[in-house]
Amino acid sequence: MPKRFRRPYRTRPRIGPRIVVAFVPLTLAFTLLILRSAQLQFMQQPKLERFMQRAQPSSITIAQHNRATVFDRHGRELAVNVPVKSLYIDPLRFKEQHNFSATLRTIAKKTGVELKTLKRRLNRASRFFWVKRHLSPYVAKEIEALKASGVHFISESKRFYPNGSLAAHLLGFTNLDGDGIEGLEFAMDDLLRGEKSTLRAQRDAKGRRLLIGGIEKKGRPGKQLYLTIDSVLQHAVERELERAQQENQASAALALMMHPHTGEILAMASHPTFDPNRYREYSRQSWRNRVITDIFEPGSTFKSFVIAHAMQEGILARNDRFFCKAGSLAIQSRIINEEHRHEWLTTAEILKYSSNIGAAKIGLLLGSKRMKQMLNRFGFGEKSHIGLPGESAGLTHPTRHWTDYDVASAAFGQGIGVTGLQLIRGFSSLLNGGYLLQPTVLSHAMEGNRRIELQHKHRILRKTVNTHVSTNMRAMLTTVIEPKGTGFRAALAHHSVGGKTGTAQRFDPVSGTYPENNYTSSFIGYLPAENPQLVILVVVDQPQGKLTGGGGVAAPVFRRIAQLAAEHLNIKPDKTAESLQAGIPTRKLIRRVAATTDTLNPTDLSKTEHLQGLTIREVLRLTQKNGIEVSVRGSGFATGKIHVDKNDSTGKQKWIVYFEPVAKRNL
């Protein structure tokens, strides 16, 4: 039997040393990769996200013609946008050019930026930095002509105030980015600014920002804002305030014009003022809107409220008589004195002659509790919420601690702190039937063709006095303007007016006293007397001239403003021939606002009365415009007197115009 063939037995092959040597490192490498992946995934995720964000495209927000325009009540522009160019540099591209240091020096010289500042920015690890925002067209054109590599421009918009300082304290201003930071620009920023445009930018591997051009998101314009301000009246008020401050060598002045039946503010001005186009050149004190921020003692203007409240409470009548102690009254070992001595005065005469002793006696009739009611009722000690930044609530001390002397002195406006806005709002309620209104400078906004009402006109906050008291107050306040009243200098030629003077000694917090010859002079008045359409407040701080009282300092300013306003608003004259013959001044006031548009003829003197009241500078500008040679005599303001003479050298006619200080003009 043949042998069966049997396969040889095969054993499992052994793993050679070479395979082991190759396998172990691979396994170790994969293990390390897995561990590293876990580390990156879980432990370093935040760091990697920040790195990725640096490499992502970014954006730069710019103001590109989107902030809305501000208009006055008649659609005249008060704040607009103008296109400007802003300069930036890409350092990497800039350094590639030959002699870039010389180019940098040229740019520094033309833009006014310090060279060392530009060098420091150039050496930073960045692909973008601003050189200067909002260049003038002339400078931008000169730098463009350099055709330097890495020098680029971005089109932006700049806030511009075409009327310069007109209504500067009310409007405020914006910063370089177009954000409101003062005044209405700040208060109405959300409404005005809209949405800004953004530019696309790219980050390189080192995180340096590089503009790649193009608008990433186009912004939407804001809403157009219309104010209650009348720019013509605002201009007139500001001119007269400046004149009043200069004539009286005063530290400051303010004025307000309000419609007593609607609460609309037609003019709001403070002086010194500033130009919002160049606000950085002025101190922060110049930015302050004194009408709403500054607190002052109202003086005798406060007597109107005390008398009205006493009549409202039924403890005083118009013809009640008070013995005024011949000018001296002792209360709690303290003496109240007044310059003009009176014996018996009626309530109306206390207003007319502004008797402190008469007002003090009425205040004592009211007592501290009812005086507190009066302060609350007329809105003293509270903000008006007009919507402007920086408004003060005034200053009223707790009446529970008042002594009889405190009550008596408060009755003639001492120891009470008010703002100009509080004073005119409360006074208006005495004239309009007793309604305390919400004052406003906002009319409406426009979004396309859609009108948006911002505040309610004629918003009544509360009742202060009844109609009967209001009627009596209007009648009594007109006696203040009569020839023997303290406010006779406020009288107009053809319009009946009423009002009240105020002269308050300024309190010195250091000495705790009221020093002599340191006053706040004021006048608040209205016209026409029967149906008031305007209320005007003028306050002059620390006048230094011969006259320091409200009747001598502030009343003439009121008269000039009121005359201009009556002409501009076409308020119908209401004085009769009898009233004109009764001794009320009939001297015609010239509308100075319109005088600069008159055409004059060297041989025709019929229009020379239009020079009356103008300053030397204004007369020279007007006459030079019309080719008239002028010789000046005197100083101050033009009297309207003109003498025609001949130039000795040319033989041509010349005018000799006479000027004199206002104190000599029988105001």
Side-chain angles (χ1 to χ4, degrees):
M1 179 175 179
K3 289 184 177 181
R4 181 182 295 178
F5 176 76
R6 303 179 78 176
R7 287 184 178 180
Y9 177 77
R10 292 183 179 179
T11 61
R12 180 177 295 178
R14 291 183 303 171
I15 299 174
R18 293 180 180 177
I19 295 177
V20 173
V21 171
F23 179 76
V24 171
L26 287 174
T27 303
L28 184 60
F30 277 113
T31 303
L32 291 175
L33 286 173
I34 291 171
L35 292 175
R36 178 60 175 166
S37 177
Q39 181 191 27
L40 294 175
Q41 181 70 26
F42 300 107
M43 300 179 65
Q44 295 190 2
Q45 182 181 6
K47 181 179 179 180
L48 291 174
E49 286 180 349
R50 289 194 298 269
F51 179 80
M52 290 298 295
Q53 288 174 358
R54 290 178 63 190
Q56 293 285 337
S58 63
S59 60
I60 297 175
T61 302
I62 63 169
Q64 195 175 49
H65 313 291
N66 293 318
R67 195 169 183 87
T69 303
V70 180
F71 301 92
D72 80 344
R73 66 188 300 115
H74 298 298
R76 303 182 185 96
E77 292 178 338
L78 298 176
V80 299
N81 289 329
V82 293
V84 292
K85 289 185 177 181
S86 294
L87 175 65
Y88 75 93
I89 285 179
D90 175 0
L92 183 63
R93 297 287 180 262
F94 186 78
K95 291 178 180 179
E96 290 176 352
Q97 63 184 311
H98 176 67
N99 199 12
F100 67 84
S101 297
T103 304
L104 194 66
R105 283 194 297 271
T106 303
I107 292 175
K109 182 178 179 180
K110 293 185 180 300
T111 60
V113 181
E114 290 187 1
L115 181 60
K116 62 180 181 180
T117 301
L118 293 182
K119 286 181 177 179
R120 185 175 64 251
R121 294 176 182 174
L122 190 67
N123 293 326
R124 287 177 180 172
S126 174
R127 293 291 304 276
F128 167 91
F129 74 85
W130 288 115
V131 176
K132 189 172 184 179
R133 307 274 299 278
H134 299 177
L135 294 174
S136 69
Y138 175 76
V139 172
K141 187 175 180 180
E142 284 192 327
I143 294 177
E144 281 180 329
L146 298 175
K147 297 181 180 180
S149 176
V151 177
H152 305 285
F153 294 90
I154 293 177
S155 295
E156 292 191 272
S157 64
K158 177 184 178 181
R159 202 59 162 170
F160 179 66
Y161 303 90
N163 302 297
S165 62
L166 185 75
H169 298 99
L170 174 61
L171 294 173
F173 47 83
T174 65
N175 60 17
L176 279 175
D177 293 319
D179 300 317
I181 54 177
E182 283 289 339
L184 278 174
E185 294 278 25
F186 173 78
M188 305 302 294
D189 190 55
D190 290 340
L191 181 139
L192 289 168
R193 69 183 176 189
E195 293 182 2
K196 297 179 181 179
S197 299
T198 55
L199 296 178
R200 283 196 299 272
Q202 183 71 50
R203 301 277 185 177
D204 64 10
K206 293 185 178 181
R208 297 176 297 190
R209 189 167 56 181
L210 171 65
L211 289 183
I212 58 177
I215 296 178
E216 183 179 79
K217 179 183 177 183
K218 189 173 183 179
R220 292 185 302 176
K223 299 175 180 65
Q224 311 283 16
L225 182 61
Y226 287 79
L227 307 183
T228 61
I229 297 296
D230 186 318
S231 58
V232 173
L233 296 178
Q234 180 74 24
H235 177 64
V237 168
E238 291 185 9
R239 286 168 62 95
E240 293 303 333
L241 273 191
E242 182 181 10
R243 174 179 172 181
Q245 186 184 14
Q246 292 175 353
E247 290 176 352
N248 296 285
Q249 304 172 41
S251 63
L254 66 88
L256 259 175
M257 185 184 297
M258 180 171 145
H259 195 299
H261 297 283
T262 66
E264 292 177 290
I265 303 296
L266 301 179
M268 176 186 287
S270 304
H271 206 273
T273 187
F274 70 99
D275 185 346
N277 295 305
R278 300 179 291 110
Y279 67 89
R280 290 187 184 87
E281 300 176 14
Y282 298 83
S283 68
R284 289 184 174 271
Q285 292 296 319
S286 300
W287 303 349
R288 192 171 77 241
N289 188 349
R290 299 175 183 273
V291 171
I292 62 172
T293 62
D294 284 19
I295 299 173
F296 59 93
E297 293 190 356
S300 293
T301 58
F302 209 65
K303 296 170 185 173
S304 309
F305 303 101
V306 174
I307 289 174
H309 189 63
M311 295 176 73
Q312 177 68 25
E313 292 293 302
I315 61 174
L316 183 68
R318 179 175 173 178
N319 294 318
D320 286 352
R321 302 176 74 236
F322 294 84
F323 182 61
C324 293
K325 299 285 186 178
S328 181
L329 175 65
I331 301 178
Q332 293 179 324
S333 72
R334 302 182 70 174
I335 305 297
I336 295 176
N337 294 307
E338 54 189 5
E339 182 178 356
H340 302 288
R341 299 184 177 186
H342 301 283
E343 297 289 335
W344 289 93
L345 293 177
T346 65
T347 302
E349 289 171 334
I350 288 173
L351 272 181
K352 179 178 181 177
Y353 302 122
S354 197
S355 170
N356 286 348
I357 293 175
K361 288 195 168 187
I362 296 174
L364 292 172
L365 282 178
L366 281 170
S368 61
K369 184 177 180 180
R370 283 188 287 205
M371 284 287 282
K372 176 63 174 177
Q373 292 175 349
M374 182 269 295
L375 293 172
N376 294 338
R377 185 172 290 178
F378 285 101
F380 298 110
E382 68 179 29
K383 294 182 180 181
S384 72
H385 300 292
I386 194 173
L388 294 173
E391 183 182 9
S392 171
L395 181 64
T396 57
H397 300 289
T399 54
R400 63 179 179 273
H401 302 306
W402 281 14
T403 64
D404 285 347
Y405 181 81
D406 293 328
V407 173
S409 60
F412 51 83
Q414 194 173 86
I416 303 291
V418 304
T419 67
L421 186 59
Q422 288 177 333
L423 191 58
I424 198 170
R425 179 177 71 154
F427 195 84
S428 294
S429 74
L430 299 178
L431 311 175
N432 64 16
Y435 299 101
L436 190 71
L437 301 177
Q438 171 66 55
T440 179
V441 294
L442 305 176
S443 176
H444 63 279
M446 294 293 295
E447 187 175 28
N449 295 323
R450 184 170 70 96
R451 181 184 174 106
I452 304 170
E453 295 297 336
L454 299 175
Q455 289 186 354
H456 295 291
K457 310 294 188 302
H458 198 79
R459 181 188 173 195
I460 300 173
L461 301 178
R462 55 183 168 270
K463 202 86 160 72
T464 57
V465 295
N466 59 41
T467 305
H468 177 70
V469 172
S470 178
T471 302
N472 273 287
M473 289 304 300
R474 289 199 303 268
M476 289 190 293
L477 288 167
T478 58
T479 65
V480 177
I481 316 300
E482 292 176 357
K484 292 184 179 181
T486 57
F488 72 92
R489 292 180 178 87
L492 300 186
H494 303 290
H495 296 83
S496 61
V497 299
K500 186 68 190 77
T501 56
T503 307
Q505 286 182 284
R506 291 170 54 87
F507 180 74
D508 183 5
V510 177
S511 64
T513 62
Y514 289 87
E516 295 292 333
N517 302 319
N518 193 5
Y519 299 97
T520 297
S521 304
S522 60
F523 184 86
I524 186 166
Y526 58 93
L527 73 153
E530 271 307 307
N531 181 28
Q533 298 178 40
L534 283 179
V535 182
I536 302 171
L537 169 68
V538 177
V539 180
V540 181
D541 199 18
Q542 294 181 290
Q544 301 299 317
K546 293 181 179 179
L547 300 176
T548 55
V553 174
V557 184
F558 164 87
R559 187 191 69 213
R560 295 192 293 266
I561 294 173
Q563 181 64 42
L564 292 167
E567 294 177 7
H568 177 66
L569 299 175
N570 294 318
I571 297 177
K572 186 177 179 181
D574 63 341
K575 277 191 175 180
T576 63
E578 291 77 11
S579 66
L580 293 175
Q581 293 172 2
I584 297 177
T586 58
R587 179 177 175 269
K588 184 179 180 181
L589 296 176
I590 305 303
R591 185 176 184 177
R592 299 171 62 207
V593 173
T596 56
T597 62
D598 286 339
T599 300
L600 301 176
N601 189 315
T603 60
D604 181 11
L605 299 182
S606 62
K607 291 185 177 181
T608 56
E609 65 171 7
H610 287 213
L611 300 179
Q612 187 177 6
L614 299 183
T615 64
I616 294 176
R617 179 180 295 180
E618 291 167 338
V619 169
L620 292 176
R621 183 169 58 237
L622 181 59
T623 51
Q624 288 173 2
K625 177 182 176 182
N626 291 273
I628 302 171
E629 187 178 351
V630 169
S631 179
V632 173
R633 297 288 188 274
S635 63
F637 299 87
T639 63
K641 181 181 178 182
I642 305 292
H643 177 68
V644 179
D645 201 353
K646 284 188 178 182
N647 189 309
D648 295 334
S649 59
T650 63
K652 294 181 178 180
Q653 282 190 334
K654 69 175 182 180
W655 287 2
I656 300 176
V657 183
Y658 293 87
F659 296 80
E660 62 182 20
V662 71
K664 297 181 179 180
R665 291 169 53 206
N666 192 28
L667 292 178

